[in-house]
Each structure stands twice: as C-alpha cells, then as structure tokens.
Amino acid sequence: MATTSNDAPAEGPSVYVDEQIGSDEAGDGSIQKPYHSAAQAIVNHGPSPPLNILTRKSETEEWAAIGISALKKARKGAEGIEKKKQKALEAEARASQKAAEQAKSKDVVLEEDASLPEAVKTKIKYLEKHRGKRVRVSGWVHRLRSQGKMMFIVIRDGTGFLQVILGGKLSQIHDATLLTNEATIEIVGQLQPVPEEKSAPGGHEVLADFWKVIGHAPLGENSYLTRFNQESGPSLLADLRHLVLRGETQAAVLKLRTCLLSSFRNSLDGLDLKEVTPPCIVQTQVEGGATLFGFQYYEEKAYLTQSSQLYLETVLPALGDVYCVQESFRAETSHTRRHLSEFTHLEAELAFITFEDLMTHIEDAICNTIDHLLATPGVSELMAVLNPEFKKPTRPFMRMPYTDAIAWLVENKVQHVTEETEDLPDDQKVYVDHVVGDDIAEAAERKMTDAIGRPIFLYGFPSHLKSFYMQKMKGPEGQGPNGMAFTESCDLLMPGVGEVVGGSMRIHDADELIAAFKKQGIPSEPYYWYVDQRRYGTCEHGGYGLGVERFLAWIANRYTVRECQLYGRWPGRATP
C-alpha cells in the first residue's frame, strides 16, 4: 500500500494526483494513470473524505496525503469545474434548441399578402406624412432585440432611423434566427405612432406584415459588434474606417460636414463670389518646396497642389471674385491632431479691395456660414449629438497687430522654447520671452486666444515668416526693428481651437513680385502666367484659405481633424 508523510491514510478508495506527469483528460486516478489536479479527482470520484487523495509534485517524490489547505483549494476548483460543465451543458442545450428552431424555421415561408393595400416605397426621412399607411422601407439593421416571440429592430437608411416590430410568424422564419447588426432588410407594414408612454425615432414605428433579408452580415467573431469597440486603438479604427463610418457619432460628423459645405457655398454665393475648379496637378509651389508631393507627369516633373490660390488670382479679371472647394496636399511629416496630408481647402480671392476689406469679408463669410448652418433643417439634432455647447462667434471680431500679440505674451509670461533646445527632452528645454520677429507657436497663440475669449484677427506678421507673394504694409506701421518689414497678412483665431483662416493681400506690382521670387531663390520663369496678372491690368487684391476639416473639428467638438474626413490621409496612412 502507498505510504504517506502524514498519519495513516484516510478510509476510502485512494486516488492518485501527479502534478508533473498526470492528466485530467486521460487519467483514471490509478497509480499508473494519475490525475494532474486534485480538483478533477473530486469531480470524478466524489468528495474527500471518504476519498483518499494522494499527491506528489514529481516522480522523484513519495506519495503523500493531500494537505488541508490544498484540499480546500481542490474542492473550490471542483466547484468551478462543475459550474463550467453545467454551463457547457446549458449552452449545448440552447444550441440544440436553436438548431431545432432553425431547422423548424426553414419550413416557415413568408409571402406578401396581395390583398393588403399597396405599400408606399419611401425613405425614412419622409415617413411622417405616410402615418396610418402601409409603407415599404429598406435599410441596415442598427439595433435589434428579441422578447419572447417578438423582435424589435431599429433600421437606418442614411436619412434617419426607424423602429420595426416583427411578431408571430415573421419572427420565426429562418432568416430571423440569422439576423444581426448591419444586415440589410426590406420592411413592409403599417406605419403607426408609438404609444404615448413609449418612444421611438421619429415618434412612429412599423408593425410589419412582411419582410425579407437583402444581405446578411456575419455572426460570431466577425460580427460588426465584435470587430471593434470603444477601447480599440486608433490604428485599428483607421483600418476599419469603412465600418466605423456606420456609427451614429461618425455618421453625424459626416452629415454635418455636408451641411457645412453647403452653408459655405450659400454664404460665398451670397457675397457675389463664383465657384471655380482649379487643377490639382501643378508645376509650381505656393507654400514652400519642402511640403510638395512630387511625381512623374508623362515626361515632366509635377506636384500635387498645396493651394489653388495662384490659379484663383488668374480668374479675377474674367469672373471677378471667386472661390473653390478643392483638395490640397502637404508633404510635411506632421503627426499632430490638427494636420492632414490631404485636406479639403476652401480658398477665395477678391479684387479691388483693401486689407481692411479683406478682414471684413472673412468675418462676414464665417458668420453668414454659421448662421446658415444653424438654420439648416436637421443640424440642431446633429449639434445636440456632437457639440450641444456650441455658441456662434460674436461680432465684431477683435483685430490685434502681431506686435501687440508679442507684448501680450511677454506681459502674461507666455514663453517659447528656443530653437536650439526644441528637440531635447522636456527637462532640458530652455524657454525665453517672445520678441518681435519670433514665430508665435500654436500653443502660445491658443493660450492667448482662450484667455481673451473672443475671435481675433491677428495681423501684420513679419515678412520673413510668411510666403513670398504677400504684400508688405506701407508707411510707419509696416516697419519694425532692424528694418524688419510687416505684411498685410492675418490669421483668424477662435477660442478653443486656434487658427481657422489664414489670409493676406497679394503683391500686385510685377517688379516687386519678381524681386520676391529672387529673394526666396525661386525662379520666376515657371510663374510667367502668374506674373502676367500684374502686367495685364493689375489691381489690389487679396484672399484666404480655410481648412474644412479643422473648421469642422471646431464646430463639432472633435479632438482630431482625422475624424472630420471621409478617409484620412496622414504620414503612414493611405488605406483604406
């Protein structure tokens, strides 16, 4: 008989447990085929005592009666195994029942009742006028739940959401057992108001008398609800952008974007600007050569445009004031939440204006756009989802010279990191006061704007910080220390978001423009068509650019502009 290191073995059959070579699956508790765990021994042979459990950790040890604490742990483990076994049996029973129901459901065939009134085929947004009628609506399953022999489904079709009730035979067909989120279905039935104590999208629901599946969606691990969730990382969400778009919040952002673009066009059309469509393939630069995407265009070198400004200027003599809504491309390797490699660029150019006129026009365009947007049907519902605290900007906008902004930053002790230490670890960075001539960093600019708490036209930037085509200020206001020249340029800053528009007057003298090219080291010959605008009847003119995604991020309260584009493009991301 086996011996133990404790007292004499307890009465009852002996069962052996070897933690090294034992097996819970293949073992039978004999000394030749021991179990791996004492918990399995209890499950298979009953409680201990009277069961005598003998254990060892390896073949080199003697068999010993299980200790008191180890026995307690084994009993708890046995309870867990039994519960797991019971759950598996219950799951097996449910699966068997579901399989039986599915097999039975295959015998149930639905046919549309031809004796009922003909259903009105319509989109969800137009349903209200059809209350009391039989309707036919198609869409994607947004939510669903079963309650007894009833199924409650919410479908969407891009125009709205609709609650549908399937009862009786309709919830027992085979397709009902396979239905899941994002399947596409057609619903036919009576449209009726929901009871007073209940609620549903639109205040009505369809009591279906017929339905069919147009396209199923996957179940299990590939189902829509398991592919991603709120904890999913940004890379996965970007990979699955085509599915993320179907979510309520992201769909609301894109709907708001559509309304915003329409409002911009309404505003600019109302200010007598005409929309044009410049090319995206160019052979000249606007914002500096370092951010150009180059490619081979047949036998020549070409680029994706950084801005349509130069082309807009050429249209002024033909059409007068103009604007475009066009894609622009910047090759800078920026990973900030405010930058994209491809973005929708709203740009405008106006003739026979002064710098004051330009800022007044921008103010009008922004405020008119916001007014039109907020008055658009359906936008208040979108804003309630995305940014219920949004308040439209108050007029007039503050106008602050660049030099005053530098003074404000110094007075309020807002410093900037020196260029020599900006790439060092935070504890090694050196901060100094701003001086006239410094480029004001985004963080400092936003801190000032948020503190002042109102829209600001920050204007009169030094020429060395701005593009070659910007007109210099005239008179004493245009001269800074050490011969520094200031430009008729401006940024519109909004509290909570920072810059939303950048604009300037353009150099309108041909000789001055050619000198600017030379100073920047840019050959003027490829820009002959641009210089000709100054030679064939020049005039004072100016314009501005607005990044639609950045503007949308402001009004929709989005953390990053990447949420404000259909399929975002940034360094390392060009899919899907």
Side-chain angles (χ1 to χ4, degrees):
M1 175 182 283
T3 59
T4 72
S5 58
N6 298 322
D7 296 330
E11 294 183 5
S14 295
V15 176
Y16 295 86
V17 175
D18 189 312
E19 296 180 15
Q20 185 179 49
I21 65 169
S23 170
D24 288 343
E25 291 76 25
D28 59 11
S30 66
I31 197 168
Q32 293 82 14
K33 293 183 177 181
Y35 293 115
H36 177 73
S37 69
Q40 192 66 49
I42 294 173
V43 169
N44 290 359
H45 297 277
S48 176
L51 185 66
N52 179 32
I53 301 176
L54 301 173
T55 70
R56 67 182 183 185
K57 294 187 180 297
S58 69
E59 292 182 275
T60 60
E61 293 185 4
E62 294 289 331
W63 295 103
I66 191 170
I68 294 175
S69 62
L71 182 58
K72 286 182 179 179
K73 185 177 179 181
R75 285 171 176 165
K76 191 171 182 180
E79 290 176 5
I81 292 173
E82 291 288 4
K83 286 180 181 178
K84 192 173 181 180
K85 187 187 298 183
Q86 186 61 33
K87 284 184 178 179
L89 289 172
E90 291 172 357
E92 186 178 344
R94 286 195 301 271
S96 178
Q97 181 182 0
K98 187 172 182 179
E101 290 174 352
Q102 286 185 345
K104 186 178 178 181
S105 70
K106 291 179 181 179
D107 298 328
V108 181
V109 178
L110 282 185
E111 291 184 0
E112 190 170 350
D113 191 341
S115 67
L116 294 174
E118 184 177 355
V120 178
K121 185 176 180 179
T122 184
K123 296 282 189 180
I124 292 174
K125 71 177 292 186
Y126 302 116
L127 278 174
E128 187 171 358
K129 63 184 179 183
H130 297 299
R131 284 187 183 179
K133 298 178 183 177
R134 191 165 176 260
V135 297
R136 186 184 304 272
V137 182
S138 299
W140 288 262
V141 175
H142 192 67
R143 288 190 294 271
L144 78 159
R145 63 183 175 88
S146 296
Q147 187 174 318
K149 292 188 176 181
M150 305 281 285
M151 288 184 72
F152 297 87
I153 305 172
V154 174
I155 66 172
R156 69 174 194 278
D157 68 353
T159 71
F161 296 86
L162 172 66
Q163 180 167 286
V164 178
I165 302 173
L166 304 182
K169 185 179 178 181
L170 275 70
S171 64
Q172 297 168 26
I173 64 172
H174 186 57
D175 276 339
T177 66
L178 303 176
L179 200 61
T180 186
N181 291 64
E182 298 309 314
T184 43
I185 61 176
E186 179 184 81
I187 297 291
V188 184
Q190 192 75 8
L191 180 67
Q192 58 190 26
V194 293
E196 290 186 8
E197 69 277 8
K198 304 290 185 180
S199 64
H204 46 231
E205 60 191 5
V206 169
L207 183 59
D209 57 61
F210 176 78
W211 74 284
K212 66 179 181 180
V213 173
I214 299 171
H216 277 295
L219 294 164
E221 63 180 17
N222 288 319
S223 71
Y224 178 80
L225 295 178
T226 58
R227 293 290 298 276
F228 59 91
N229 53 47
Q230 291 182 338
E231 282 71 47
S232 297
S235 181
L236 175 63
L237 294 178
D239 287 340
L240 298 180
R241 178 69 173 170
H242 59 292
L243 298 179
V244 173
L245 295 176
R246 303 182 181 204
E248 289 183 37
T249 299
Q250 189 56 58
V253 172
L254 294 180
K255 287 177 182 177
L256 185 62
R257 178 187 170 104
T258 296
C259 296
L260 176 61
L261 289 172
S262 177
S263 294
F264 271 128
R265 288 186 164 98
N266 177 275
S267 173
L268 294 174
D269 290 346
L271 292 169
D272 293 326
L273 276 71
K274 297 177 182 67
E275 184 173 7
V276 295
T277 52
C280 287
I281 298 175
V282 301
Q283 292 186 308
T284 53
Q285 66 185 54
V286 182
E287 301 295 340
T291 66
L292 284 166
F293 282 109
F295 63 96
Q296 195 68 24
Y297 182 69
Y298 301 103
E299 302 301 321
E300 300 179 291
K301 183 72 172 176
Y303 309 95
L304 295 176
T305 185
Q306 304 158 312
S307 166
S308 296
Q309 174 207 317
L310 306 190
Y311 293 101
L312 290 180
E313 289 186 52
T314 68
V315 188
L316 292 175
L319 301 181
D321 300 343
V322 290
Y323 74 94
C324 71
V325 182
Q326 186 78 293
E327 297 305 288
S328 286
F329 305 84
R330 303 284 170 87
E332 56 193 323
T333 54
S334 176
H335 292 271
T336 78
R337 60 192 178 99
R338 287 165 51 87
H339 288 87
L340 292 164
S341 298
E342 176 186 357
F343 63 98
T344 305
H345 207 175
L346 186 149
E347 299 180 90
E349 290 294 320
L350 300 96
F352 303 107
I353 60 168
T354 65
F355 187 36
E356 287 292 320
D357 293 336
L358 176 64
M359 289 188 283
T360 299
H361 165 87
I362 295 172
E363 183 174 324
D364 288 341
I366 295 299
C367 292
N368 293 352
T369 296
I370 295 295
D371 287 343
H372 183 272
L373 178 69
L374 297 178
T376 300
V379 166
S380 58
E381 291 84 354
L382 296 175
M383 294 297 283
V385 172
L386 299 170
N387 191 6
E389 304 300 320
F390 178 77
K391 292 181 176 60
K392 63 181 183 181
T394 55
R395 306 178 69 173
F397 295 170
M398 181 179 180
R399 301 190 180 187
M400 174 186 282
Y402 162 86
T403 50
D404 287 2
I406 294 293
W408 189 97
L409 294 171
V410 172
E411 182 180 344
N412 289 273
K413 298 179 172 56
V414 179
Q415 296 183 312
H416 70 95
V417 67
T418 61
E419 186 176 346
E420 295 76 17
T421 65
E422 62 183 359
D423 294 327
L424 296 178
D426 289 345
D427 60 350
Q428 298 179 32
K429 284 181 168 59
V430 176
Y431 290 86
V432 296
D433 286 338
H434 287 83
V435 297
V436 173
D438 286 343
D439 192 5
I440 302 175
E442 177 191 337
E445 195 175 69
R446 290 186 64 175
K447 185 175 289 188
M448 179 185 72
T449 309
D450 291 349
I452 294 173
R454 56 182 292 198
I456 302 172
F457 273 118
L458 184 58
Y459 71 90
F461 295 94
S463 60
H464 67 271
L465 299 177
K466 291 297 181 179
S467 298
F468 68 89
Y469 53 76
M470 293 188 180
Q471 181 68 54
K472 294 182 176 60
M473 285 183 169
K474 308 300 182 186
E477 188 181 17
Q479 298 299 315
N482 301 318
M484 186 183 300
F486 297 119
T487 56
E488 291 185 326
S489 58
C490 64
D491 288 344
L492 177 57
L493 314 177
M494 289 292 183
V497 66
E499 179 191 345
V500 295
V501 180
S504 76
M505 297 297 289
R506 319 309 192 187
I507 294 175
H508 57 273
D509 180 80
D511 293 337
E512 188 178 342
L513 179 61
I514 290 174
F517 278 124
K518 188 175 295 185
K519 186 174 181 180
Q520 291 288 326
I522 301 172
S524 62
E525 290 76 16
Y527 296 84
Y528 70 93
W529 50 273
Y530 184 62
V531 176
D532 275 354
Q533 304 310 307
R534 282 76 182 162
R535 290 177 172 152
Y536 290 79
T538 190
C539 73
E540 287 190 312
H541 63 283
Y544 56 91
L546 176 151
V548 171
E549 288 82 9
R550 190 177 294 186
F551 196 91
L552 180 58
W554 165 47
I555 62 173
N557 193 31
R558 297 297 93 194
Y559 175 74
T560 171
V561 294
R562 296 177 181 182
E563 297 180 48
C564 300
Q565 196 172 48
L566 187 60
Y567 287 99
R569 296 292 183 253
W570 57 88
R573 171 63 59 178
T575 187

